[in-house]
Amino acid sequence: MADPDPRLLSIAAAFAGGRAVHSVRPLGNGNINATYRVDGAEGETFVLQRLNTAVFPEPRRVMANLLVVGRHVEERLRREAAGRRERRWVFPRVLTATNGEAWLETEGEFWRAISHVPRATSLDQLETPGQAREVGYGLGRFHALLHDLPCDQLADTLEGFHITPGYLAAYHALCRQQAATATATATAESRPGADPEREAWAHHFVARREALAGVLERAKAAGALPLRPIHGDPKVNNVLLDADTGQAVALIDLDTVKPGLVHYDIGDGLRSACNPLGEETLTPEAVVFDLDLCAALLEGYGAAAGFFLTPAEHDHLFDAIRLLSFELGLRFFSDHLAGNVYFHTARPGHNLDRALVQFHLTASIEAREAEIRGLLARLREGR
Ligand code: GN1
Ligand code: MG
């Protein structure tokens, strides 16, 4: 192992409650924050993160939400404890730094630490319906634990998140700006990873689906869909599975917990879970939406959370599944066109590849609409 970075060690020490820190190592592969696993000399472990303040401009609000949600869930778990011991469920705790706060600000950076969930693993893509069922159960359990937390107790930590018409407007603004620049300078394409043929395909793909973009926001504005506390980012590797039983034990990555539509979460969970090739595959044309994984995820979700969904919420689930995959494709594509300023990338063209994966997934969802609607009917009827 490389020598530990002394600066990282000292930041980690501020959250270690006076105990010695043994190592700080990169953890996971998030696209936004920098995440580390901290190990103490006596085997204790926690998770240290530098929040991406370009994405989360109000990191203190993020922490305030985490504390509100943590208190609500702890209280509920305590009340449930007597009757419900068959499953382990862990809610990651915010750790207090030596300054008495839940964060540390140093050299313009914002750091915080979260408890580590022991004996748990995460998957970047799913292989079996059993895993999908657990991912669905985990998301449902999370929604159920929060469903009676009043939304006015949560701040909006990431304005515009999952508001598809907003992403579409930003995409159009970017296209106009690039067209103007190209005309003014008459230069050839010089963006990193530029690929005119695949970009043209993507532009065309978006153009044919613009009318879809407002479907959830219109229903929300009409009062048909309630705001609820949501996770915001329930991709499969944010659902931890017990290392021994494979059962869902925790949802992690709670920065985007805020008021929203459950549709954002269900759509995002499905677009992530039902793509067995994963969102980083280099063969986007081969991506399909897997119906067996979808059936299992919905069954797990229904077992934990089916009780509170309204008929109107059920009515909009298919649109949500198609929309969230399209939306993520649009976000990746726009970031590619903008020069990769939002999502971390590892190579030129990375965000274009990711966009095409989501667009092919969207096309597969459209091709399987009847089957997916059939599975949603089962969720509705509690079957
Ligand atoms: C980002 O940071 P990470 O990897 O958990 C993004 C999600 C996307 C996801 C796609 C705040 O999540 O919305 O679905 O990448 N988070 C934010 O991998 O934009
Ligand atoms: Mg995240």
mmCIF file of all heavy atoms in Angstrom, residues 98-147:
data_model
loop_
_atom_site.group_PDB
_atom_site.id
_atom_site.type_symbol
_atom_site.label_atom_id
_atom_site.label_comp_id
_atom_site.label_asym_id
_atom_site.label_seq_id
_atom_site.Cartn_x
_atom_site.Cartn_y
_atom_site.Cartn_z
ATOM 1 N N THR A 98 -13.944 16.846 15.716
ATOM 2 C CA THR A 98 -13.392 17.411 16.956
ATOM 3 C C THR A 98 -13.865 18.844 17.187
ATOM 4 O O THR A 98 -13.867 19.322 18.313
ATOM 5 C CB THR A 98 -11.847 17.412 16.914
ATOM 6 O OG1 THR A 98 -11.444 17.739 15.577
ATOM 7 C CG2 THR A 98 -11.278 16.068 17.290
ATOM 8 N N ASN A 99 -14.303 19.536 16.121
ATOM 9 C CA ASN A 99 -14.818 20.902 16.297
ATOM 10 C C ASN A 99 -16.260 20.919 16.808
ATOM 11 O O ASN A 99 -16.870 21.971 16.920
ATOM 12 C CB ASN A 99 -14.701 21.675 14.976
ATOM 13 C CG ASN A 99 -15.507 21.011 13.858
ATOM 14 O OD1 ASN A 99 -16.250 20.057 14.102
ATOM 15 N ND2 ASN A 99 -15.364 21.506 12.639
ATOM 16 N N GLY A 100 -16.818 19.737 17.072
ATOM 17 C CA GLY A 100 -18.178 19.653 17.596
ATOM 18 C C GLY A 100 -19.237 19.699 16.502
ATOM 19 O O GLY A 100 -20.437 19.573 16.772
ATOM 20 N N GLU A 101 -18.832 19.891 15.248
ATOM 21 C CA GLU A 101 -19.776 19.943 14.132
ATOM 22 C C GLU A 101 -19.815 18.598 13.413
ATOM 23 O O GLU A 101 -18.958 17.741 13.635
ATOM 24 C CB GLU A 101 -19.314 20.983 13.102
ATOM 25 C CG GLU A 101 -19.016 22.334 13.649
ATOM 26 C CD GLU A 101 -20.226 23.251 13.622
ATOM 27 O OE1 GLU A 101 -21.364 22.731 13.576
ATOM 28 O OE2 GLU A 101 -20.032 24.469 13.635
ATOM 29 N N ALA A 102 -20.782 18.481 12.489
ATOM 30 C CA ALA A 102 -20.892 17.251 11.699
ATOM 31 C C ALA A 102 -20.045 17.347 10.435
ATOM 32 O O ALA A 102 -20.187 16.535 9.539
ATOM 33 C CB ALA A 102 -22.354 17.005 11.348
ATOM 34 N N TRP A 103 -19.184 18.333 10.351
ATOM 35 C CA TRP A 103 -18.336 18.496 9.167
ATOM 36 C C TRP A 103 -17.078 19.270 9.542
ATOM 37 O O TRP A 103 -16.972 19.839 10.634
ATOM 38 C CB TRP A 103 -19.086 19.237 8.065
ATOM 39 C CG TRP A 103 -19.513 20.609 8.452
ATOM 40 C CD1 TRP A 103 -18.757 21.750 8.400
ATOM 41 C CD2 TRP A 103 -20.779 20.991 8.984
ATOM 42 N NE1 TRP A 103 -19.479 22.817 8.858
ATOM 43 C CE2 TRP A 103 -20.737 22.381 9.229
ATOM 44 C CE3 TRP A 103 -21.954 20.295 9.278
ATOM 45 C CZ2 TRP A 103 -21.823 23.083 9.760
ATOM 46 C CZ3 TRP A 103 -23.026 20.999 9.795
ATOM 47 C CH2 TRP A 103 -22.959 22.374 10.029
ATOM 48 N N LEU A 104 -16.156 19.299 8.579
ATOM 49 C CA LEU A 104 -14.905 20.021 8.770
ATOM 50 C C LEU A 104 -14.655 20.810 7.496
ATOM 51 O O LEU A 104 -14.669 20.232 6.401
ATOM 52 C CB LEU A 104 -13.787 18.993 8.983
ATOM 53 C CG LEU A 104 -12.409 19.539 9.262
ATOM 54 C CD1 LEU A 104 -12.351 20.096 10.679
ATOM 55 C CD2 LEU A 104 -11.373 18.408 9.132
ATOM 56 N N GLU A 105 -14.450 22.113 7.637
ATOM 57 C CA GLU A 105 -14.135 22.913 6.441
ATOM 58 C C GLU A 105 -12.667 23.305 6.520
ATOM 59 O O GLU A 105 -12.233 23.887 7.510
ATOM 60 C CB GLU A 105 -15.031 24.140 6.385
ATOM 61 C CG GLU A 105 -16.419 23.778 5.899
ATOM 62 C CD GLU A 105 -17.410 24.915 6.006
ATOM 63 O OE1 GLU A 105 -17.874 25.167 7.131
ATOM 64 O OE2 GLU A 105 -17.711 25.530 4.977
ATOM 65 N N THR A 106 -11.927 22.939 5.492
ATOM 66 C CA THR A 106 -10.511 23.258 5.498
ATOM 67 C C THR A 106 -10.028 23.526 4.075
ATOM 68 O O THR A 106 -10.398 22.798 3.156
ATOM 69 C CB THR A 106 -9.690 22.121 6.170
ATOM 70 O OG1 THR A 106 -8.309 22.407 5.998
ATOM 71 C CG2 THR A 106 -9.995 20.744 5.616
ATOM 72 N N GLU A 107 -9.245 24.576 3.919
ATOM 73 C CA GLU A 107 -8.688 24.960 2.609
ATOM 74 C C GLU A 107 -9.757 24.955 1.518
ATOM 75 O O GLU A 107 -9.545 24.433 0.422
ATOM 76 C CB GLU A 107 -7.526 24.037 2.238
ATOM 77 C CG GLU A 107 -6.367 24.139 3.222
ATOM 78 C CD GLU A 107 -5.263 23.132 2.931
ATOM 79 O OE1 GLU A 107 -4.898 22.981 1.754
ATOM 80 O OE2 GLU A 107 -4.796 22.492 3.879
ATOM 81 N N GLY A 108 -10.917 25.480 1.852
ATOM 82 C CA GLY A 108 -11.992 25.592 0.859
ATOM 83 C C GLY A 108 -12.701 24.273 0.578
ATOM 84 O O GLY A 108 -13.551 24.200 -0.314
ATOM 85 N N GLU A 109 -12.372 23.228 1.325
ATOM 86 C CA GLU A 109 -13.020 21.923 1.098
ATOM 87 C C GLU A 109 -13.959 21.590 2.253
ATOM 88 O O GLU A 109 -13.749 22.024 3.375
ATOM 89 C CB GLU A 109 -11.955 20.821 0.985
ATOM 90 C CG GLU A 109 -11.063 21.010 -0.219
ATOM 91 C CD GLU A 109 -9.937 19.979 -0.273
ATOM 92 O OE1 GLU A 109 -9.729 19.239 0.718
ATOM 93 O OE2 GLU A 109 -9.273 19.919 -1.299
ATOM 94 N N PHE A 110 -14.952 20.777 1.928
ATOM 95 C CA PHE A 110 -15.980 20.414 2.911
ATOM 96 C C PHE A 110 -15.928 18.896 3.123
ATOM 97 O O PHE A 110 -16.174 18.130 2.201
ATOM 98 C CB PHE A 110 -17.351 20.837 2.371
ATOM 99 C CG PHE A 110 -18.452 20.767 3.396
ATOM 100 C CD1 PHE A 110 -18.881 21.910 4.066
ATOM 101 C CD2 PHE A 110 -19.074 19.556 3.689
ATOM 102 C CE1 PHE A 110 -19.905 21.851 5.002
ATOM 103 C CE2 PHE A 110 -20.103 19.488 4.626
ATOM 104 C CZ PHE A 110 -20.520 20.643 5.285
ATOM 105 N N TRP A 111 -15.570 18.503 4.330
ATOM 106 C CA TRP A 111 -15.411 17.073 4.640
ATOM 107 C C TRP A 111 -16.422 16.635 5.686
ATOM 108 O O TRP A 111 -16.764 17.394 6.588
ATOM 109 C CB TRP A 111 -14.006 16.815 5.194
ATOM 110 C CG TRP A 111 -12.928 17.011 4.191
ATOM 111 C CD1 TRP A 111 -12.334 18.195 3.841
ATOM 112 C CD2 TRP A 111 -12.311 15.981 3.389
ATOM 113 N NE1 TRP A 111 -11.385 17.967 2.870
ATOM 114 C CE2 TRP A 111 -11.353 16.621 2.573
ATOM 115 C CE3 TRP A 111 -12.472 14.594 3.290
ATOM 116 C CZ2 TRP A 111 -10.558 15.912 1.668
ATOM 117 C CZ3 TRP A 111 -11.685 13.897 2.397
ATOM 118 C CH2 TRP A 111 -10.740 14.546 1.586
ATOM 119 N N ARG A 112 -16.854 15.402 5.574
ATOM 120 C CA ARG A 112 -17.729 14.832 6.610
ATOM 121 C C ARG A 112 -17.495 13.310 6.667
ATOM 122 O O ARG A 112 -16.915 12.724 5.738
ATOM 123 C CB ARG A 112 -19.199 15.161 6.336
ATOM 124 C CG ARG A 112 -19.696 14.663 4.994
ATOM 125 C CD ARG A 112 -20.412 13.364 5.107
ATOM 126 N NE ARG A 112 -20.607 12.788 3.797
ATOM 127 C CZ ARG A 112 -21.628 13.091 2.986
ATOM 128 N NH1 ARG A 112 -22.539 13.950 3.340
ATOM 129 N NH2 ARG A 112 -21.716 12.493 1.819
ATOM 130 N N ALA A 113 -17.943 12.729 7.756
ATOM 131 C CA ALA A 113 -17.727 11.286 7.929
ATOM 132 C C ALA A 113 -19.029 10.617 8.313
ATOM 133 O O ALA A 113 -19.891 11.212 8.960
ATOM 134 C CB ALA A 113 -16.660 11.033 8.988
ATOM 135 N N ILE A 114 -19.157 9.374 7.876
ATOM 136 C CA ILE A 114 -20.386 8.601 8.066
ATOM 137 C C ILE A 114 -19.968 7.231 8.584
ATOM 138 O O ILE A 114 -18.919 6.714 8.174
ATOM 139 C CB ILE A 114 -21.100 8.397 6.701
ATOM 140 C CG1 ILE A 114 -21.274 9.719 5.958
ATOM 141 C CG2 ILE A 114 -22.396 7.643 6.838
ATOM 142 C CD1 ILE A 114 -22.530 10.442 6.216
ATOM 143 N N SER A 115 -20.827 6.647 9.425
ATOM 144 C CA SER A 115 -20.477 5.319 9.939
ATOM 145 C C SER A 115 -20.460 4.296 8.798
ATOM 146 O O SER A 115 -21.164 4.449 7.794
ATOM 147 C CB SER A 115 -21.483 4.887 11.014
ATOM 148 O OG SER A 115 -22.764 4.772 10.438
ATOM 149 N N HIS A 116 -19.636 3.294 8.973
ATOM 150 C CA HIS A 116 -19.490 2.242 7.969
ATOM 151 C C HIS A 116 -20.500 1.141 8.289
ATOM 152 O O HIS A 116 -20.730 0.832 9.460
ATOM 153 C CB HIS A 116 -18.056 1.721 8.070
ATOM 154 C CG HIS A 116 -17.777 0.502 7.257
ATOM 155 N ND1 HIS A 116 -17.602 -0.747 7.821
ATOM 156 C CD2 HIS A 116 -17.645 0.343 5.926
ATOM 157 C CE1 HIS A 116 -17.374 -1.618 6.860
ATOM 158 N NE2 HIS A 116 -17.391 -0.995 5.709
ATOM 159 N N VAL A 117 -21.125 0.572 7.272
ATOM 160 C CA VAL A 117 -22.075 -0.530 7.512
ATOM 161 C C VAL A 117 -21.276 -1.833 7.475
ATOM 162 O O VAL A 117 -20.739 -2.194 6.424
ATOM 163 C CB VAL A 117 -23.188 -0.547 6.453
ATOM 164 C CG1 VAL A 117 -24.163 -1.691 6.719
ATOM 165 C CG2 VAL A 117 -23.909 0.794 6.418
ATOM 166 N N PRO A 118 -21.165 -2.523 8.597
ATOM 167 C CA PRO A 118 -20.334 -3.732 8.613
ATOM 168 C C PRO A 118 -21.003 -4.899 7.884
ATOM 169 O O PRO A 118 -22.221 -4.922 7.708
ATOM 170 C CB PRO A 118 -20.181 -4.051 10.104
ATOM 171 C CG PRO A 118 -21.364 -3.414 10.749
ATOM 172 C CD PRO A 118 -21.785 -2.246 9.900
ATOM 173 N N ARG A 119 -20.226 -5.844 7.459
ATOM 174 C CA ARG A 119 -20.689 -7.103 6.830
ATOM 175 C C ARG A 119 -21.678 -6.831 5.686
ATOM 176 O O ARG A 119 -22.752 -7.416 5.624
ATOM 177 C CB ARG A 119 -21.347 -8.019 7.883
ATOM 178 C CG ARG A 119 -20.366 -8.566 8.896
ATOM 179 C CD ARG A 119 -21.047 -9.480 9.904
ATOM 180 N NE ARG A 119 -21.848 -8.741 10.865
ATOM 181 C CZ ARG A 119 -23.179 -8.790 10.957
ATOM 182 N NH1 ARG A 119 -23.877 -9.558 10.163
ATOM 183 N NH2 ARG A 119 -23.818 -8.077 11.863
ATOM 184 N N ALA A 120 -21.295 -5.924 4.807
ATOM 185 C CA ALA A 120 -22.191 -5.606 3.691
ATOM 186 C C ALA A 120 -21.387 -5.428 2.413
ATOM 187 O O ALA A 120 -20.220 -5.059 2.451
ATOM 188 C CB ALA A 120 -22.967 -4.329 4.007
ATOM 189 N N THR A 121 -22.029 -5.716 1.283
ATOM 190 C CA THR A 121 -21.358 -5.558 -0.007
ATOM 191 C C THR A 121 -22.277 -4.770 -0.945
ATOM 192 O O THR A 121 -23.477 -4.643 -0.683
ATOM 193 C CB THR A 121 -21.106 -6.926 -0.684
ATOM 194 O OG1 THR A 121 -22.369 -7.596 -0.772
ATOM 195 C CG2 THR A 121 -20.140 -7.778 0.091
ATOM 196 N N SER A 122 -21.703 -4.277 -2.043
ATOM 197 C CA SER A 122 -22.567 -3.654 -3.045
ATOM 198 C C SER A 122 -22.159 -4.136 -4.429
ATOM 199 O O SER A 122 -21.018 -4.533 -4.652
ATOM 200 C CB SER A 122 -22.499 -2.127 -2.950
ATOM 201 O OG SER A 122 -21.315 -1.661 -3.532
ATOM 202 N N LEU A 123 -23.105 -4.109 -5.352
ATOM 203 C CA LEU A 123 -22.869 -4.602 -6.714
ATOM 204 C C LEU A 123 -23.031 -3.454 -7.696
ATOM 205 O O LEU A 123 -23.912 -2.611 -7.523
ATOM 206 C CB LEU A 123 -23.918 -5.670 -7.047
ATOM 207 C CG LEU A 123 -23.992 -6.868 -6.098
ATOM 208 C CD1 LEU A 123 -25.290 -7.643 -6.325
ATOM 209 C CD2 LEU A 123 -22.780 -7.769 -6.312
ATOM 210 N N ASP A 124 -22.191 -3.407 -8.729
ATOM 211 C CA ASP A 124 -22.332 -2.359 -9.743
ATOM 212 C C ASP A 124 -23.376 -2.726 -10.785
ATOM 213 O O ASP A 124 -23.916 -1.865 -11.474
ATOM 214 C CB ASP A 124 -20.995 -2.085 -10.425
ATOM 215 C CG ASP A 124 -20.052 -1.328 -9.490
ATOM 216 O OD1 ASP A 124 -20.555 -0.560 -8.643
ATOM 217 O OD2 ASP A 124 -18.830 -1.528 -9.588
ATOM 218 N N GLN A 125 -23.605 -4.019 -10.956
ATOM 219 C CA GLN A 125 -24.736 -4.442 -11.775
ATOM 220 C C GLN A 125 -25.268 -5.762 -11.229
ATOM 221 O O GLN A 125 -24.539 -6.496 -10.579
ATOM 222 C CB GLN A 125 -24.408 -4.537 -13.269
ATOM 223 C CG GLN A 125 -23.233 -5.389 -13.663
ATOM 224 C CD GLN A 125 -21.974 -4.553 -13.865
ATOM 225 O OE1 GLN A 125 -22.033 -3.400 -14.218
ATOM 226 N NE2 GLN A 125 -20.836 -5.167 -13.617
ATOM 227 N N LEU A 126 -26.532 -6.019 -11.509
ATOM 228 C CA LEU A 126 -27.178 -7.197 -10.922
ATOM 229 C C LEU A 126 -27.130 -8.371 -11.888
ATOM 230 O O LEU A 126 -27.103 -8.207 -13.100
ATOM 231 C CB LEU A 126 -28.631 -6.887 -10.576
ATOM 232 C CG LEU A 126 -28.852 -5.709 -9.628
ATOM 233 C CD1 LEU A 126 -30.324 -5.636 -9.222
ATOM 234 C CD2 LEU A 126 -27.969 -5.799 -8.390
ATOM 235 N N GLU A 127 -27.155 -9.560 -11.305
ATOM 236 C CA GLU A 127 -27.162 -10.768 -12.131
ATOM 237 C C GLU A 127 -28.419 -11.600 -11.918
ATOM 238 O O GLU A 127 -28.872 -12.278 -12.832
ATOM 239 C CB GLU A 127 -25.933 -11.624 -11.801
ATOM 240 C CG GLU A 127 -24.669 -11.048 -12.414
ATOM 241 C CD GLU A 127 -23.409 -11.650 -11.843
ATOM 242 O OE1 GLU A 127 -23.503 -12.624 -11.062
ATOM 243 O OE2 GLU A 127 -22.341 -11.136 -12.184
ATOM 244 N N THR A 128 -28.966 -11.584 -10.711
ATOM 245 C CA THR A 128 -30.070 -12.503 -10.431
ATOM 246 C C THR A 128 -31.317 -11.767 -9.947
ATOM 247 O O THR A 128 -31.224 -10.707 -9.316
ATOM 248 C CB THR A 128 -29.673 -13.506 -9.325
ATOM 249 O OG1 THR A 128 -29.538 -12.781 -8.088
ATOM 250 C CG2 THR A 128 -28.364 -14.209 -9.649
ATOM 251 N N PRO A 129 -32.494 -12.348 -10.203
ATOM 252 C CA PRO A 129 -33.729 -11.766 -9.675
ATOM 253 C C PRO A 129 -33.701 -11.662 -8.143
ATOM 254 O O PRO A 129 -34.273 -10.734 -7.575
ATOM 255 C CB PRO A 129 -34.810 -12.746 -10.147
ATOM 256 C CG PRO A 129 -34.238 -13.365 -11.381
ATOM 257 C CD PRO A 129 -32.752 -13.473 -11.117
ATOM 258 N N GLY A 130 -33.020 -12.585 -7.486
ATOM 259 C CA GLY A 130 -32.926 -12.505 -6.020
ATOM 260 C C GLY A 130 -32.261 -11.207 -5.585
ATOM 261 O O GLY A 130 -32.708 -10.554 -4.631
ATOM 262 N N GLN A 131 -31.219 -10.817 -6.300
ATOM 263 C CA GLN A 131 -30.554 -9.552 -5.970
ATOM 264 C C GLN A 131 -31.487 -8.376 -6.251
ATOM 265 O O GLN A 131 -31.568 -7.422 -5.472
ATOM 266 C CB GLN A 131 -29.281 -9.391 -6.809
ATOM 267 C CG GLN A 131 -28.195 -10.394 -6.480
ATOM 268 C CD GLN A 131 -27.115 -10.459 -7.561
ATOM 269 O OE1 GLN A 131 -27.293 -9.929 -8.669
ATOM 270 N NE2 GLN A 131 -25.996 -11.086 -7.241
ATOM 271 N N ALA A 132 -32.200 -8.444 -7.375
ATOM 272 C CA ALA A 132 -33.105 -7.343 -7.737
ATOM 273 C C ALA A 132 -34.230 -7.216 -6.709
ATOM 274 O O ALA A 132 -34.647 -6.109 -6.351
ATOM 275 C CB ALA A 132 -33.690 -7.580 -9.126
ATOM 276 N N ARG A 133 -34.705 -8.349 -6.228
ATOM 277 C CA ARG A 133 -35.759 -8.297 -5.229
ATOM 278 C C ARG A 133 -35.269 -7.547 -3.989
ATOM 279 O O ARG A 133 -35.968 -6.724 -3.401
ATOM 280 C CB ARG A 133 -36.196 -9.721 -4.843
ATOM 281 C CG ARG A 133 -37.406 -9.712 -3.958
ATOM 282 C CD ARG A 133 -37.870 -11.058 -3.481
ATOM 283 N NE ARG A 133 -39.166 -10.904 -2.830
ATOM 284 C CZ ARG A 133 -39.335 -10.387 -1.622
ATOM 285 N NH1 ARG A 133 -38.293 -9.990 -0.914
ATOM 286 N NH2 ARG A 133 -40.545 -10.247 -1.116
ATOM 287 N N GLU A 134 -34.027 -7.830 -3.597
ATOM 288 C CA GLU A 134 -33.469 -7.179 -2.418
ATOM 289 C C GLU A 134 -33.240 -5.688 -2.649
ATOM 290 O O GLU A 134 -33.464 -4.870 -1.760
ATOM 291 C CB GLU A 134 -32.174 -7.870 -1.981
ATOM 292 C CG GLU A 134 -32.426 -9.203 -1.307
ATOM 293 C CD GLU A 134 -33.402 -9.085 -0.133
ATOM 294 O OE1 GLU A 134 -33.252 -8.146 0.677
ATOM 295 O OE2 GLU A 134 -34.327 -9.915 -0.038
ATOM 296 N N VAL A 135 -32.799 -5.326 -3.849
ATOM 297 C CA VAL A 135 -32.621 -3.901 -4.158
ATOM 298 C C VAL A 135 -33.985 -3.195 -4.070
ATOM 299 O O VAL A 135 -34.111 -2.111 -3.491
ATOM 300 C CB VAL A 135 -31.966 -3.722 -5.545
ATOM 301 C CG1 VAL A 135 -32.082 -2.285 -6.035
ATOM 302 C CG2 VAL A 135 -30.497 -4.143 -5.480
ATOM 303 N N GLY A 136 -35.012 -3.843 -4.601
ATOM 304 C CA GLY A 136 -36.359 -3.272 -4.527
ATOM 305 C C GLY A 136 -36.850 -3.188 -3.097
ATOM 306 O O GLY A 136 -37.428 -2.180 -2.676
ATOM 307 N N TYR A 137 -36.579 -4.245 -2.346
ATOM 308 C CA TYR A 137 -37.009 -4.240 -0.939
ATOM 309 C C TYR A 137 -36.310 -3.103 -0.196
ATOM 310 O O TYR A 137 -36.930 -2.373 0.581
ATOM 311 C CB TYR A 137 -36.683 -5.593 -0.270
ATOM 312 C CG TYR A 137 -37.205 -5.657 1.138
ATOM 313 C CD1 TYR A 137 -38.478 -6.155 1.406
ATOM 314 C CD2 TYR A 137 -36.453 -5.176 2.204
ATOM 315 C CE1 TYR A 137 -38.983 -6.171 2.702
ATOM 316 C CE2 TYR A 137 -36.945 -5.185 3.501
ATOM 317 C CZ TYR A 137 -38.206 -5.684 3.741
ATOM 318 O OH TYR A 137 -38.704 -5.685 5.019
ATOM 319 N N GLY A 138 -35.011 -2.943 -0.451
ATOM 320 C CA GLY A 138 -34.240 -1.898 0.231
ATOM 321 C C GLY A 138 -34.797 -0.514 -0.074
ATOM 322 O O GLY A 138 -34.978 0.312 0.828
ATOM 323 N N LEU A 139 -35.110 -0.271 -1.339
ATOM 324 C CA LEU A 139 -35.657 1.041 -1.702
ATOM 325 C C LEU A 139 -37.032 1.233 -1.056
ATOM 326 O O LEU A 139 -37.343 2.306 -0.528
ATOM 327 C CB LEU A 139 -35.750 1.182 -3.227
ATOM 328 C CG LEU A 139 -36.297 2.522 -3.711
ATOM 329 C CD1 LEU A 139 -35.408 3.677 -3.244
ATOM 330 C CD2 LEU A 139 -36.420 2.544 -5.238
ATOM 331 N N GLY A 140 -37.834 0.190 -1.070
ATOM 332 C CA GLY A 140 -39.156 0.283 -0.457
ATOM 333 C C GLY A 140 -39.062 0.511 1.046
ATOM 334 O O GLY A 140 -39.795 1.317 1.623
ATOM 335 N N ARG A 141 -38.140 -0.192 1.666
ATOM 336 C CA ARG A 141 -37.956 -0.035 3.120
ATOM 337 C C ARG A 141 -37.564 1.405 3.429
ATOM 338 O O ARG A 141 -38.055 2.019 4.369
ATOM 339 C CB ARG A 141 -36.853 -1.012 3.562
ATOM 340 C CG ARG A 141 -36.499 -0.956 5.029
ATOM 341 C CD ARG A 141 -37.385 -1.900 5.824
ATOM 342 N NE ARG A 141 -36.857 -2.145 7.153
ATOM 343 C CZ ARG A 141 -37.394 -1.646 8.267
ATOM 344 N NH1 ARG A 141 -38.473 -0.888 8.204
ATOM 345 N NH2 ARG A 141 -36.869 -1.926 9.448
ATOM 346 N N PHE A 142 -36.667 1.945 2.618
ATOM 347 C CA PHE A 142 -36.204 3.323 2.806
ATOM 348 C C PHE A 142 -37.394 4.290 2.675
ATOM 349 O O PHE A 142 -37.607 5.163 3.516
ATOM 350 C CB PHE A 142 -35.131 3.623 1.762
ATOM 351 C CG PHE A 142 -34.455 4.951 1.929
ATOM 352 C CD1 PHE A 142 -33.341 5.082 2.750
ATOM 353 C CD2 PHE A 142 -34.931 6.070 1.257
ATOM 354 C CE1 PHE A 142 -32.721 6.315 2.907
ATOM 355 C CE2 PHE A 142 -34.307 7.306 1.414
ATOM 356 C CZ PHE A 142 -33.204 7.419 2.235
ATOM 357 N N HIS A 143 -38.193 4.107 1.625
ATOM 358 C CA HIS A 143 -39.365 4.980 1.438
ATOM 359 C C HIS A 143 -40.347 4.834 2.594
ATOM 360 O O HIS A 143 -40.916 5.821 3.060
ATOM 361 C CB HIS A 143 -40.079 4.643 0.124
ATOM 362 C CG HIS A 143 -39.379 5.193 -1.077
ATOM 363 N ND1 HIS A 143 -39.745 4.863 -2.364
ATOM 364 C CD2 HIS A 143 -38.331 6.049 -1.206
ATOM 365 C CE1 HIS A 143 -38.970 5.502 -3.222
ATOM 366 N NE2 HIS A 143 -38.095 6.214 -2.546
ATOM 367 N N ALA A 144 -40.548 3.607 3.012
ATOM 368 C CA ALA A 144 -41.522 3.379 4.082
ATOM 369 C C ALA A 144 -41.049 4.038 5.382
ATOM 370 O O ALA A 144 -41.846 4.632 6.116
ATOM 371 C CB ALA A 144 -41.737 1.880 4.279
ATOM 372 N N LEU A 145 -39.757 3.956 5.656
ATOM 373 C CA LEU A 145 -39.231 4.562 6.887
ATOM 374 C C LEU A 145 -39.403 6.077 6.878
ATOM 375 O O LEU A 145 -39.536 6.707 7.918
ATOM 376 C CB LEU A 145 -37.744 4.220 7.048
ATOM 377 C CG LEU A 145 -37.431 2.802 7.525
ATOM 378 C CD1 LEU A 145 -35.949 2.475 7.317
ATOM 379 C CD2 LEU A 145 -37.809 2.634 8.998
ATOM 380 N N LEU A 146 -39.370 6.666 5.692
ATOM 381 C CA LEU A 146 -39.426 8.133 5.605
ATOM 382 C C LEU A 146 -40.798 8.671 5.228
ATOM 383 O O LEU A 146 -40.988 9.887 5.212
ATOM 384 C CB LEU A 146 -38.417 8.620 4.553
ATOM 385 C CG LEU A 146 -36.951 8.470 4.924
ATOM 386 C CD1 LEU A 146 -36.079 9.057 3.829
ATOM 387 C CD2 LEU A 146 -36.655 9.181 6.233
ATOM 388 N N HIS A 147 -41.754 7.788 4.931
ATOM 389 C CA HIS A 147 -42.963 8.298 4.272
ATOM 390 C C HIS A 147 -43.782 9.234 5.160
ATOM 391 O O HIS A 147 -44.548 10.046 4.648
ATOM 392 C CB HIS A 147 -43.827 7.158 3.716
ATOM 393 C CG HIS A 147 -44.799 6.596 4.695
ATOM 394 N ND1 HIS A 147 -44.447 5.723 5.683
ATOM 395 C CD2 HIS A 147 -46.130 6.818 4.844
ATOM 396 C CE1 HIS A 147 -45.515 5.414 6.397
ATOM 397 N NE2 HIS A 147 -46.540 6.058 5.911
#
